[in-house]
């Protein structure tokens, strides 16, 4: 019976990143070599370091979580004590007299100044500033707003100055200069025909003598006047809205 040769292929070594012959002798020879052993040692050392770093991160996260839970529990207990004092009518946490606990907002409120006080943080809220500030800034804003209100009320109580009466014109000639000539010579006055562009742009000679016009210029003037009339007839239904001459 005839035997056929079969290729065994190659085996990939993940530690050395190379291919070796896929037979027991080659594999054993490679695994017993110094290069393979060094690569295995490096891989194990790297895996150990990664595991240690991962465990360290997990421990740090667990400690941070414990600290957060401890702070949250402490803050919760403090809030419970403050709420209990507010229910019992205890005003020891208020900054002074005139402060009343507002159950809707959860802060102390002073109607005379319009300020809110947070007993946990010690900050004050002012509507004029729109943010939480220190006590000094809050009372300073209250004084400023009171000063502005006083000045506005004083200005409103003053008697208004006597207004100068403007005499009404019932008839007679106009009080000022009457312009009868339009500023734009190209724009006609209502009820008068539009001046010709040739007549507007034409200048008079100083000596009074008529200018000699050649046949070419005369033909050009006639053609321009005829074109103007055609445009005028075409735009006559538009009531002069798009007049360009």
């Amino acid at each position: 019976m005839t035997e056929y040769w079969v290729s065994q292929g190659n085996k990939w070594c993940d530690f050395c990143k190379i291919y070796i012959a896929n037979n027991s002798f080659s594999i054993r020879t490679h695994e017993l070599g110094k290069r393979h052993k060094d690569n295995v040692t490096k891989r194990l050392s790297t895996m150990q370091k990664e595991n240690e770093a991962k465990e360290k991160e997990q421990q740090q996260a667990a400690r941070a979580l414990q600290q957060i839970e401890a702070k949250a529990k402490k803050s919760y207990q403090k809030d419970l004590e403050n709420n209990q004092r507010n229910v019992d009518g205890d005003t020891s946490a208020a900054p002074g007299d005139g402060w009343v606990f507002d159950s809707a907002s959860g802060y102390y409120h002073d109607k005379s100044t319009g300020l809110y006080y947070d007993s946990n943080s010690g900050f004050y809220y002012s509507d004029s500033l729109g943010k939480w500030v220190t006590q000094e800034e809050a009372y300073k804003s209250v004084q400023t707003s009171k000063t502005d209100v006083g000045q506005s009320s004083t200005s409103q109580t003053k008697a208004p100055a006597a207004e100068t009466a403007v005499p009404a014109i019932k008839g007679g000639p106009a009080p000022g200069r009457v312009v009868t000539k339009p500023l734009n010579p190209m724009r006609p006055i209502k009820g008068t025909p539009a001046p010709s562009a040739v007549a507007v742009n034409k200048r008079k000679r100083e000596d009074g003598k008529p200018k000699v016009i050649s046949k070419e210029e005369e033909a050009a003037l006639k053609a321009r006047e005829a074109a103007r009339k055609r445009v005028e007839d075409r735009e006559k239904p538009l009531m002069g809205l798009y007049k360009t001459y």
Side-chain angles (χ1 to χ4, degrees):
M1 185 176 180
T2 306
E3 295 181 357
Y4 294 93
W5 177 81
V6 179
S7 177
Q8 296 179 351
N10 295 326
K11 181 178 177 60
W12 173 257
C13 179
D14 191 49
F15 296 98
C16 302
K17 307 299 181 184
I18 60 173
Y19 285 100
I20 57 178
N22 191 12
N23 53 71
S24 59
F25 178 76
S26 299
I27 294 173
R28 182 173 178 79
T29 302
H30 176 73
E31 290 179 350
L32 294 176
K34 185 175 183 301
R35 176 184 177 185
H36 181 78
K37 291 181 179 180
D38 293 342
N39 291 332
V40 171
T41 304
K42 290 180 181 179
R43 174 66 68 83
L44 294 176
S45 178
T46 303
M47 293 175 62
Q48 185 178 1
K49 290 180 181 179
E50 290 178 354
N51 291 333
E52 291 177 355
K54 190 175 182 180
E55 290 178 358
K56 187 176 181 180
E57 290 178 358
Q58 291 179 354
Q59 292 177 0
Q60 291 178 355
R63 285 197 298 268
L65 185 60
Q66 290 177 359
Q67 293 177 359
I68 293 173
E69 290 179 353
K71 290 181 179 179
K73 188 176 181 180
K74 184 177 180 181
S75 177
Y76 177 69
Q77 294 294 336
K78 187 176 181 180
D79 292 340
L80 289 178
E81 293 176 359
N82 292 334
N83 292 333
Q84 188 63 32
R85 285 200 302 267
N86 295 328
V87 170
D88 297 338
D90 185 9
T91 59
S92 59
D97 297 335
W99 291 86
V100 180
F101 182 77
D102 186 9
S103 58
S105 62
Y107 305 109
Y108 289 94
H109 179 61
D110 187 2
K111 294 183 179 180
S112 60
T113 59
L115 298 176
Y116 288 89
Y117 174 72
D118 183 13
S119 59
N120 295 327
S121 62
F123 284 101
Y124 293 79
Y125 181 83
S126 174
D127 291 333
S128 60
L129 298 177
K131 60 181 180 178
W132 291 94
V133 294
T134 59
Q135 182 180 6
E136 182 180 357
E137 295 178 357
Y139 281 99
K140 186 176 180 180
S141 65
V142 171
Q143 293 177 358
T144 304
S145 61
K146 287 183 178 180
T147 304
D148 296 339
V149 171
Q151 291 178 356
S152 61
S153 61
T154 304
S155 60
Q156 291 177 0
T157 54
K158 289 183 179 180
E163 298 180 356
T164 57
V166 179
I169 301 175
K170 297 183 179 179
R177 182 182 178 184
V178 179
V179 180
T180 58
K181 185 178 180 181
L183 299 179
N184 186 2
M186 302 298 293
R187 183 178 179 182
I189 302 175
K190 186 176 181 180
T192 59
S196 174
V198 178
V200 171
N201 296 329
K202 185 176 179 181
R203 295 184 301 172
K204 294 183 179 180
R205 296 176 61 86
E206 296 179 358
D207 53 3
K209 295 181 180 180
K211 181 181 179 181
V212 180
I213 302 175
S214 62
K215 294 181 179 180
E216 292 81 1
E217 292 179 353
E218 186 177 359
L221 292 175
K222 290 181 179 180
R224 182 182 298 174
E225 187 67 20
R228 186 190 67 78
K229 289 182 178 181
R230 289 196 300 272
V231 173
E232 186 178 10
D233 294 338
R234 184 172 65 251
E235 295 184 352
K236 188 177 294 183
L238 301 177
M239 303 296 292
L241 293 177
Y242 300 98
K243 189 174 289 185
T244 59
Y245 52 88

